[in-house]
Amino acid sequence: MTAWGDFNDAAPLVDESETDIPAIGHVEMDQLPGAGQSMPRVGGHVAPDIEQIAAFLDVVFGYCDGLIPVRGFVDQGQGLDTKPHNIWVPADRHAAASLSAYATWAAREGSAVYVIPGTVAEQGQARAEHVHQMQTVVVDLDAGDIAAKLAHLVHHLGAPTLLVESGGRTAEGTAKLHAWWRLTEPAEGEDLARVCALRGEIADKVGGDTHFRSAHQPIRVPGTVHQKHGVQRRVTIREHRPRVEVELPDFAAAVAAMPAMPGFTAPTAAPGVNRPGLDAVLTTPVREGSQDAWTRFQGASAAIGHFVRMVHEGRMTGDEGWEAICQYNAACLRPEWPLDRLKVEADAIWALHVDRNGPPLLRAAAALPGAIAAHTLGALLDDTSPMPDDLIGPRLLTPGGMLVLGGAPKVGKSDFLISLLVHAAAGAPFLRFTAPRPLRVFYLQAEIQYHYLRERLQQLRLDPAIVARARNTLVVTPKLRMLLDDQGVPLVAAAIRAAFPDAPPDIICIDPIRNLFDGGPAGEGENDNAAMMFFLQSRVEALRDMVAPEAGIILAHHTKKLSKQQVKDDPFLSLSGASALRGYYTSGAILFRPDEEQTERELHVELRNGPGLEPMLIDKRGGAWVELDRKGERIVRKDIGRKLDAERTRRHDVILRLIAEEAEEGRLCTTNAFASKFENKRGLGGKDNIRERIGVLAMKGYIKYRREARDLGQPYTKSKNGYLVVQDMLLGTGEETIDPETGEIIPATVRVLPSHFQCPRSEALLEVENPEVWVLHDPEEPA
């Protein structure tokens, strides 16, 4: 291949075209050292430096939001043949730990670590148009008189925020440098394009790397290891000026005013290097002898690469792809290539593409029109055979059907889904839903890491018999960092076959769509209808067809930010992304909180294959999901009712706290004395209100009584109930003591135990059987 490349090549080219970082070999961060773990020396040599990595991330991403695209691939000259590996690290306070863990793994594997110096919105995004924030201007000085170039830049633009030795050396043995200037705020939109233009202009004027005109151009990370030709050097920060920041307009003016270095002429691009558009390649005739803008070899390679990718992704059959290649050969190559040479080139490009992108998703030839099943009205009316059993009834998930469960982040969607799947795997009822038998369930989830996944499963409060039946029929993946694309689909299919070697699964669950979404070659997101249909048909349905055509599909999905009233009016309009999703699934369920201050959730279900279900009010109580009785809900004045409830709770807390505080000051109070002292204070209201609240607290067991307290230094009381006592109450004696652990002088206190309590049934004052045991009678509190 020439530098021009072919259209199925996902590696960065030496031009300014907007190519993807290859989605190959996504690294599982769960398998790398975590924050706080030691960073071992790699092979006894150079190890990554987390402090330098953290300093670099602060300069380049400290003001940015989103994900940092990170790429690792083997440095040249080591005799290693490893595919690139990509991760996307959130630009937050954990970024340094995550990237350091990845750098340790990469150094051990002989890989360099690069980042795109800008953030993207979603995993899998790495093209120039995906970069939405960038807060630095960088120039790569990789040839010539490095010191003179740096001096020229400092003289005209000022000292950079960060100066990095990239680990490489020029032909003269001088260290190659990266110079970074941090902006005062992230650049977006037109400012982002301005930053990229500045990077190119600076490179033109001092002889730097001009590829940084492109927003997606990756660059080495300081603190990681440079290993070209087997020589290990750490990419090192030479100078760091954390207070140096520049305003974009001022810096742009300085770049414009900066002259080119004396005696330096900016290089011009060689003719024919820039790659033309695909439409031009497929429609423009090209003659032998390099008479045109590109050669026959370049045109044929690009066209073959395009059709090879179409076949690899399952969008064409092998025969259709070969026919398209032959048609291009006949239409555009003058003279055309012999078929045997065309076949050799096609086979070579196919082998290269499979090697880089993994197993293909091959499609069988389309069914002939005669193979389409059609039935008369009479035949359908006369067919009285039994209906197939629901996988999850009633009609929530049918054989070959698709259920989409939507919910806002943190609403409990994954927790609810796990409970549903455990019960389905055990063949046990869950809420109103039932499974006819224990089902084989494969749960492909991309949110919860292994240790937190096992913790969540262990916290489920389930019948031991249900857990026993589901132990081997529910298979769950830990958090995956991959896409369900032409590489991911065969990998997942292989994992499902390995999990259920004897029989295909009954349910395949994907949680969530967003983390595994692949919108096809156009790279569109989940908001595009065509991309959503491509994902559902060519990824999700293709996966099911490969392993279990009759299996039910469950997809977990996020919802949009709508008002509570909009969600109540039509819950399913809140599903995030393209509207094509709602038209495609056979059943949908939306889980949402009608009141963010309450724990209860509403579950709305719509069915294509059956009547809709009444909305359910559910909550997680004692580690298990339960359905609540809606008859106990307020119908009118819900907001004011909740406020009154909250006010009563506040008063209860204040009263209990004041009783304890009074005791610490050495004073025990009767009901009347307490009500008189705190009348119209602390928002407690009048004496009658306070006495009423104390009575309620006594009935619930939060307040008990001490009839005789003269042994505690308190006066005799004529109150029929005695002094008020709350749990763990301490009475100040007015003396001081020494803390045996700290040696500190503290007030001396004694415990106050109750002697009587108020019976919640008869209201009679009864003696406490065991003062050491505090018993509550509040039905809303756990025993």
Side-chain angles (χ1 to χ4, degrees), residues 308-441:
V308 159
R309 188 174 68 176
M310 298 284 282
V311 173
H312 187 274
E313 293 178 350
R315 298 163 64 195
M316 303 175 72
T317 65
D319 291 341
E320 291 170 345
W322 173 244
E323 182 180 355
I325 292 172
C326 293
Q327 289 174 349
Y328 169 82
N329 183 44
C332 294
L333 298 189
R334 309 287 174 79
E336 63 185 76
W337 278 1
L339 289 182
D340 55 350
R341 180 183 179 185
L342 195 67
K343 186 70 165 59
V344 169
E345 292 295 331
D347 289 344
I349 293 176
W350 172 262
L352 177 65
H353 190 77
V354 171
D355 181 61
R356 289 177 174 174
N357 298 282
L361 180 60
L362 297 178
R363 283 291 196 209
L368 297 176
I372 296 176
H375 307 280
T376 65
L377 172 62
L380 294 172
L381 294 175
D382 295 340
D383 186 356
T384 58
S385 59
M387 294 293 293
D389 290 336
D390 296 336
L391 294 174
I392 301 178
R395 301 290 175 92
L396 185 70
L397 185 64
T398 54
M402 178 181 292
L403 164 65
V404 174
L405 172 63
K410 311 304 180 186
V411 76
K413 180 173 65 273
S414 294
D415 197 296
F416 176 86
L417 185 56
I418 289 173
S419 295
L420 174 64
L421 296 179
V422 170
H423 284 80
F430 175 68
L431 301 178
R432 300 183 194 172
F433 310 122
T434 59
R437 56 179 173 79
L439 304 177
R440 294 175 296 276
V441 181

Side-chain angles (χ1 to χ4, degrees), residues 490-558:
L491 290 175
V492 174
I496 295 176
R497 295 191 189 102
F500 300 105
D502 300 326
D506 298 299
I507 297 176
I508 301 171
C509 181
I510 298 173
D511 179 16
I513 292 177
R514 178 172 297 171
N515 290 6
L516 297 163
F517 187 82
D518 173 47
E524 298 293 342
E526 63 187 64
N527 292 320
D528 183 81
N529 277 311
M532 178 61 74
M533 291 300 295
F534 176 86
F535 178 73
L536 295 174
Q537 294 177 338
S538 300
R539 300 312 188 205
V540 177
E541 294 282 7
L543 174 63
R544 172 164 56 187
D545 292 345
M546 293 174 71
V547 294
E550 292 301 312
I553 296 287
I554 299 179
L555 303 178
H557 197 33
H558 295 302

Side-chain angles (χ1 to χ4, degrees), residues 65-150:
D65 298 320
L67 300 176
I68 304 169
V70 183
R71 181 184 182 190
F73 58 85
V74 172
D75 269 326
Q76 299 172 355
Q78 300 182 81
L80 301 175
D81 184 20
T82 304
K83 294 179 180 179
H85 294 272
N86 307 316
I87 63 171
W88 281 259
V89 175
D92 57 20
R93 59 190 179 89
H94 303 296
S98 299
L99 189 53
S100 299
Y102 178 79
T104 300
W105 173 88
R108 186 168 59 246
E109 298 296 317
S111 292
V113 179
Y114 288 74
V115 297
I116 292 175
T119 53
V120 298
E122 298 179 5
Q123 284 198 1
Q125 293 183 341
R127 294 202 300 267
E129 67 267 22
H130 292 149
V131 177
H132 69 88
Q133 282 189 341
M134 191 176 283
Q135 69 177 51
T136 55
V137 179
V138 62
V139 59
D140 181 4
L141 304 177
D142 57 359
D145 190 342
I146 303 293
K149 292 179 179 182
L150 178 61

